[in-house]
Amino acid sequence: MSVGTAGPATSADFTLEDLDGRWRSPVAAEVFPGIYGIDDFWLRSPFWAIHFNSYKDPDCTQRLFELIITGFWELQAPSTASPGARDANFSRTKVCLRLFDADVIASAPGSWTPGEWKDVSHGGCPPIDLPGVDDCPLEYDLLGLAGDRLYFGQRHHDEQGSIWTRRAPGLLSYYVTPFDGTGPGVGHGAEWGPAEWTHLTSTYTLSPRPEGSQP
């Protein structure tokens, strides 16, 4: 995943009220080498959710996968390790995914129909580095604000661990901005709203725990 700090302009001087609302990528960011993504965060304390779309190209024409994650979150104190950021914890209670790319489908465990949603709350989808809530019930994240740009923490894995085993080591180099549904629709999901959230979270029930896993 692209890494790097957001720069000295980010500030930890913000409140829950400052972040209340919907935050979306203004352009497709290169989240892994050659892989682009549109983040769409919904923050309404104590609830949070993300609707994410992934592509092979920056023009968002070649779809890879689409996912949602929901949960609860809390904003904590300014970070002592990452100046200009605040610690934030995000629990994960539900994960749903649908796949589009033939190569991704071939590498994913289980049976998949292109474009069909599946609840992967237990088990996740390892080929796209998506953990389930059984492995990752809580993310130890960072948030930094620079004007109308909101930066989240880095999510790459290294010898120190992952975001669910240690605090994110710094802020990402890309960001999201406030989105009210009337701006330019970048990629897929600009039309996403309460009806889509309600349908998806009520229709796709919690996936069964993988056989042999611990309760």
Side-chain angles (χ1 to χ4, degrees), residues 3 26 41 50 76 92 126 134 138 155 157 166 181 187 206 211:
V3 298
F41 284 95
I50 182 175
Q76 301 189 317
R92 303 164 82 252
D134 43 354
L138 184 69
R155 280 164 163 72
H157 310 286
R166 56 92 193 267
L206 184 67
E211 186 176 349

Side-chain angles (χ1 to χ4, degrees), residues 51-85:
H51 176 215
F52 177 78
N53 278 277
S54 181
Y55 307 87
K56 290 182 178 180
D57 63 308
D59 293 327
C60 304
T61 61
Q62 303 176 61
R63 303 189 75 177
L64 290 170
F65 60 86
E66 179 179 4
L67 65 83
I68 64 139
I69 303 172
T70 63
F72 298 79
W73 75 294
E74 59 176 344
L75 189 60
Q76 301 189 317
S79 171
T80 58
S82 300

